[in-house]
Amino acid sequence: MSKFFPRLGFSLMFLVSTSIPAMSIEVNTRVLVTQTLNLANVILTITTAGSVVVSGSSKAVEGSAADLFLINRGTLSSESGIVLNLTTAATDASVINSGRMFTGAKAAIVSNSVKLTFENQAKGEVLSSGGKGFYTSGGTANIDNSGKISGRFGVESTGNNLTFKNQAKGEVASSIGGKGFYTSGGTANIDNSGTITGGSYGVESTGNNLTFRNQAGGVVSSFASDRTGFLTTGEDADIDNHGTISGKLFGLESRGSSLTFKNQAGGLVSSPDRTGFLTSGSTATVDNGGTISGHKYGFASTGNDLTFENQAKGEVSSSNGTGFSTSGD
């Protein structure tokens, strides 16, 4: 069954049974609603001329049963509630965003669904002025970003299987004191060709099983004066860098029990004020074919077990101190 709604009224709520074929709904005008749009087995399209604005702290759209397919080319927002909430009952959710998804508080998108596929296209924005841009806490999330995702935490992932690809023009950002990308559980596979920036940390990983590939042109950084570009404190972190990782205090800091880091030719890990690369965890294996540089130390290790190989074109340096130290901080 398919229906077309050229104009939708003030109070709007759809709850469609999972036993019938998907309903198709198109919004091509401005709609102000006071209740959550509770959707199941629905294809919802918001056109470039359309907008759905939810007043107060209500969620804008909630996928609470069966499948949801959302295409947003316009605006989907909540004044102070979650914009898109995908619960454990939602078995399969697919979202394509080339418009604006915005909230004044809380997280813009929350997903603990069994399976989420999210494509944030060029010019697409997922924004929270006071909460998280994108929060995943369960199931499987596959996110492809060519637009902008930002909040106090740009992206936070806890306890799920996450695959995140940040394309060349993709931007993940946090506000002052926040984190661009934070992962604390499950398995995270992150491929960055764009920009990930944070107030406290560009990327922080406290969970296990992190695989991070920073492509040529990819940037991971923090902008606070006493913070770190990339911090890992969990187990089994595997980082492959072809781009730039930088922070005012530390470019890259590892406190975890197991780190494997490869700095490829053209890769840069740096700090203008302190240490380019600090490792204080139990085991670290570092292969450097690029540049590691800092002000006081280029590379410093205070951990128990370090293996460091500097390739023919690898460079480790400091501007006003020691290039390589196994006792500094």
Side-chain angles (χ1 to χ4, degrees):
M1 181 171 61
S2 177
K3 291 186 177 181
F4 174 67
F5 295 81
R7 300 202 177 269
L8 299 174
F10 266 72
S11 180
L12 177 65
M13 182 173 181
F14 293 97
L15 178 59
V16 184
S17 169
T18 61
S19 62
I20 65 174
M23 175 181 284
S24 180
I25 302 168
E26 182 172 297
V27 179
N28 60 8
T29 188
R30 177 178 169 81
V31 178
L32 176 64
V33 300
T34 59
Q35 295 177 319
T36 298
L37 279 68
N38 196 334
L39 306 177
N41 266 4
V42 166
I43 300 172
L44 173 64
T45 301
I46 302 172
T47 69
T48 53
S51 64
V52 176
V53 180
V54 179
S55 61
S57 59
S58 295
K59 305 176 185 71
V61 172
E62 184 162 42
S64 58
D67 298 342
L68 170 66
F69 187 43
L70 170 64
I71 302 171
N72 179 45
R73 301 188 185 100
T75 299
L76 180 61
S77 66
S78 174
E79 287 183 354
S80 59
I82 296 168
V83 175
L84 176 61
N85 189 52
L86 302 171
T87 68
T88 53
T91 57
D92 201 337
S94 297
V95 180
I96 298 174
N97 180 54
S98 58
R100 192 170 191 258
M101 304 175 76
F102 171 78
T103 180
K106 297 186 179 179
I109 298 175
V110 173
S111 173
N112 57 359
S113 63
V114 173
K115 183 178 179 180
L116 168 67
T117 301
F118 187 93
E119 182 182 355
N120 197 37
Q121 296 181 340
K123 297 183 180 181
E125 294 181 315
V126 178
L127 311 173
S128 174
S129 61
K132 298 158 188 174
F134 206 120
Y135 177 69
T136 68
S137 62
T140 299
N142 294 282
I143 303 168
D144 191 301
N145 180 49
S146 297
K148 182 176 183 178
I149 302 173
S150 72
R152 181 167 177 80
F153 287 15
V155 176
E156 180 177 356
S157 175
T158 64
N160 69 317
N161 295 316
L162 170 70
T163 300
F164 189 97
K165 187 172 181 64
N166 200 36
Q167 303 286 357
K169 293 185 178 181
E171 180 183 353
V172 179
S174 84
S175 57
I176 295 173
K179 303 167 186 181
F181 205 113
Y182 177 63
T183 172
S184 62
T187 299
N189 292 282
I190 303 166
D191 190 300
N192 179 50
S193 297
T195 302
I196 302 176
T197 60
S200 294
Y201 304 103
V203 174
E204 181 183 6
S205 175
T206 62
N208 304 330
N209 301 316
L210 168 71
T211 301
F212 193 101
R213 185 176 178 86
N214 197 37
Q215 304 282 7
V219 175
V220 177
S221 66
S222 67
F223 53 82
S225 61
D226 59 346
R227 294 298 182 176
T228 299
F230 197 128
L231 171 67
T232 173
T233 62
E235 298 180 5
D236 298 325
D238 190 337
I239 304 170
D240 187 15
N241 182 49
H242 298 250
T244 299
I245 299 173
S246 65
K248 295 292 185 68
L249 183 64
F250 304 121
L252 173 63
E253 180 185 6
S254 173
R255 305 177 199 159
S257 60
S258 178
L259 168 71
T260 300
F261 180 83
K262 190 163 187 177
N263 198 33
Q264 306 281 1
L268 172 64
V269 180
S270 69
S271 168
D273 297 339
R274 187 65 179 260
T275 302
F277 190 155
L278 172 66
T279 172
S280 58
S282 58
T283 302
T285 301
V286 180
D287 187 332
N288 180 48
T291 300
I292 300 173
S293 66
H295 179 69
K296 186 175 181 180
Y297 299 105
F299 179 92
S301 174
T302 61
N304 297 325
D305 189 357
L306 169 69
T307 301
F308 190 102
E309 182 174 358
N310 202 39
Q311 303 290 345
K313 294 185 178 181
E315 179 182 347
V316 181
S317 65
S318 75
S319 60
N320 189 32
T322 302
F324 191 98
S325 172
T326 55
S327 60
D329 62 350

